[in-house]
Amino acid sequence: MANSHWIERRLQPTDSPLATAAVTLAAIVLALLLGGLLMLPFTPHPGQAYWAIVENAFGSLRGLGFTLVKATPLILIALGTIVAWRTSFFYLGFEGTLLLGAAATAWVALRAAPQEGLAGLPGWIFFPLVIGAAFAAGGLWAGAVGFLRSRFGGNEVLISLMTNYVAILLVNYLVSGPLRAPGDLPQTERIPETALLPFFIPDTRAHAGFLLALLAALLVWLFLRRTPLGYELIATGFSERAARYGGIPTGQRLVLAAFLGGGLGALAGLVEVLGVKFRLMDGIAQGTGFVGVVVALLGKVNPLLSVVA
């Protein structure tokens, strides 16, 4: 009985980069083995199936370009998730911010058509303008949820999930009504060529949106790790009461995190409209807003690791 009162030192978790990499690699290997067991009853050998995945994704310029195109919106959604979740604002409305960003992008980009107000605008003015419009649309959309959480203590998970459906219906209304192009499909006119993102790998569909995502990842990492404002957001996420005691306006920081996270999520809609679909259409999100959250988690809620994930 006396031994039950002894104080023993708790073993510390191993958080070294080598240990983290080893655990991640072991998890990947285990997942591949379990997946291979499920494929054994079927004709393709598991090794052949896995090799086909790798070869198609990275074995040619065309495959690499397609991989980068699919990765771009996921990176941007992951970055938005990181900024919001690091502040303990567990926002799950990125499907909605993507749609709002896509709608704002299409509205501005269609103004660049001939005989429209933005026709002939040089790219160094147009692209910052359309990026700002998309970022603001998504930021205000998510920021409203942040305000409700900060001011009234609402549950941001439930509210943000419900706002996804509002965004879906809003885009459905736009492409079926005010912005609908002639024809049977619910979509807008094609975006003018001058407003599209340029391709940066020859003979592929890899567009400059991927470079935008890389730049955003670097900026988010610097913002969270190297700026006082980023420190305040993270401190708010660790303990809102302690941060408030330290003089940090936690309510304002929470709303700011919501705005920045929503804006980054909206950029995913921008790259889909200007780099892939070339128009706003019904169903453009296709679950990307939810998969991007998983990417952030796989990247250990780290901006740079999320790019790799």
Side-chain angles (χ1 to χ4, degrees):
M1 292 295 294
N3 292 343
S4 63
H5 298 288
W6 288 359
I7 298 176
E8 297 182 0
R9 181 181 179 184
R10 173 182 289 181
L11 295 177
Q12 296 295 321
T14 304
D15 290 328
S16 68
L18 181 61
T20 301
V23 171
T24 302
L25 181 61
I28 293 173
V29 172
L30 180 60
L32 292 175
L33 289 175
L34 292 176
L37 291 176
L38 295 176
M39 288 188 286
L40 282 177
F42 302 97
T43 302
H45 188 273
Q48 294 174 328
Y50 288 142
W51 176 249
I53 293 174
V54 174
E55 185 178 28
N56 282 306
F58 304 105
S60 65
L61 276 180
R62 183 176 181 275
L64 176 62
F66 184 77
T67 299
L68 297 182
V69 167
K70 298 296 289 185
T72 299
L74 296 177
I75 293 172
L76 292 166
I77 294 292
L79 294 176
T81 302
I82 290 167
V83 172
W85 286 28
R86 280 292 188 91
T87 320
S88 288
F89 180 68
F90 298 108
Y91 186 73
L92 291 178
F94 290 104
E95 194 87 346
T97 61
L98 185 155
L99 291 170
L100 265 290
T105 298
W107 186 85
V108 174
L110 288 172
R111 305 283 81 76
Q115 285 80 49
E116 293 290 342
L118 300 181
L121 202 65
W124 62 272
I125 296 179
F126 171 77
F127 285 110
L129 176 64
V130 72
I131 290 172
F135 195 98
L140 292 173
W141 187 260
V145 181
F147 175 77
L148 292 175
R149 154 74 188 278
S150 173
R151 184 68 176 82
F152 303 105
N155 187 311
E156 71 271 21
V157 174
L158 295 178
I159 297 173
S160 59
L161 284 173
M162 290 189 291
T163 59
N164 287 327
Y165 297 99
V166 178
I168 291 171
L169 294 174
L170 178 59
V171 170
N172 180 267
Y173 163 73
L174 292 175
V175 298
S176 301
L179 299 181
R180 180 167 184 161
D184 298 329
L185 298 178
Q187 60 186 19
T188 65
E189 297 277 3
R190 180 182 170 88
I191 303 298
E193 292 292 332
T194 56
L196 299 180
L197 293 170
F199 302 122
F200 70 97
I201 298 181
D203 302 322
T204 72
R205 305 295 294 179
H207 53 73
F210 179 72
L211 304 180
L212 175 65
L214 292 183
L215 176 62
L218 178 60
L219 292 177
V220 169
W221 183 82
L222 291 173
F223 172 72
L224 293 176
R225 296 288 296 272
R226 295 290 188 267
T227 67
L229 189 55
Y231 166 80
E232 291 181 359
L233 294 184
I234 294 175
T236 300
F238 275 127
S239 174
E240 190 171 342
R241 292 180 63 188
R244 191 184 302 113
Y245 180 80
I248 297 174
T250 55
Q252 295 178 17
R253 297 299 175 258
L254 193 145
V255 175
L256 175 63
F259 178 83
L260 295 177
L264 288 165
L267 295 184
L270 178 142
V271 298
E272 287 296 284
V273 170
L274 299 186
V276 181
K277 306 297 185 182
F278 309 134
R279 65 180 79 235
L280 180 66
M281 59 180 62
D282 195 20
I284 193 172
Q286 297 180 335
T288 303
F290 295 105
V291 180
V293 174
V294 178
V295 171
L297 296 176
L298 291 175
K300 298 180 69 64
V301 200
N302 181 296
L304 302 183
L305 292 180
S306 294
V307 175
V308 181

